[in-house]
Amino acid sequence: KHFQTYINRNADFYRKTKGVPMPVPIEKALKMIEAGHAKALELDISVSVAVVDEGGRLIAFGRMDRARPMSVDIAVNKAYTAATFQQQTTQLAAVSEQSWFQSLIVSTQGKVIAVGGGIPVLDAPDIIGAAGVSGGTPDQDQDCARAAVAAYAD
């Protein structure tokens, strides 16, 4: 009984003092997309940019003129992967050949992707979403995603 009282007291304190993290607001998501597109213009490429919430669900999306149709799904999947794994997609390359990771790719029907261009959005200490970019090389996509995530802080 004493232990249950302790748990209840801790839970009450936590509920009163801990705010609930909110996903990326739509206004910031749109600015993130603009920043990703601006970086793509600097690199002379056309990209798609997706911004998702912490669970990988789409908040906002933008596809530049001349961006390839397949870049749409790839950008969303990069954002999904960064949000759900809570790390940059480039960091998953080391495990991408392991059987458990290959099983995840298959079980999510290709939604999990381990190539540059997906970066989580951090509102310390919480991951509140992610940006995913597709249309250039993995390094170019990563640069555009970095620009998009940097725009969140502005």
Side-chain angles (χ1 to χ4, degrees):
K1 180 166 168 120
H2 177 70
F3 186 67
Q4 189 61 44
T5 303
Y6 172 78
I7 290 173
N8 290 340
R9 200 170 331 140
N10 266 346
D12 288 343
F13 175 79
Y14 181 82
R15 285 186 205 103
K16 289 177 186 172
T17 60
K18 172 78 172 125
V20 177
M22 298 298 292
V24 176
I26 186 66
E27 300 82 18
K28 287 200 176 204
L30 294 172
K31 288 182 182 183
M32 292 169 67
I33 291 167
E34 288 177 18
H37 287 176
K39 184 63 177 179
L41 287 173
E42 287 177 28
L43 299 172
D44 197 31
I45 58 174
S46 296
V47 300
S48 291
V49 179
V51 178
V52 300
D53 66 13
E54 71 284 357
R57 292 171 300 273
L58 191 62
I59 294 172
F61 179 84
R63 177 178 165 199
M64 295 174 71
D65 294 341
R66 299 184 346 267
R68 294 183 182 151
M70 67 182 176
S71 70
V72 172
D73 290 332
I74 295 170
V76 172
N77 291 348
K78 287 179 181 183
Y80 170 84
T81 303
T84 57
F85 279 82
Q86 299 188 347
Q87 59 184 302
Q88 296 188 27
T89 53
T90 55
Q91 296 171 317
L92 296 171
V95 297
S96 66
E97 297 300 319
Q98 295 180 15
S99 61
W100 67 268
F101 193 84
Q102 292 293 314
S103 295
L104 283 175
I105 293 170
V106 171
S107 67
T108 61
Q109 299 173 335
K111 203 167 183 178
V112 172
I113 188 166
V115 65
I119 301 177
V121 178
L122 179 68
D123 190 358
D126 300 302
I127 301 289
I128 60 165
V133 177
S134 178
T137 67
D139 288 340
Q140 289 171 326
D141 290 351
Q142 188 74 6
D143 288 344
C144 294
R146 258 191 229 101
V149 171
Y152 174 79
D154 290 344

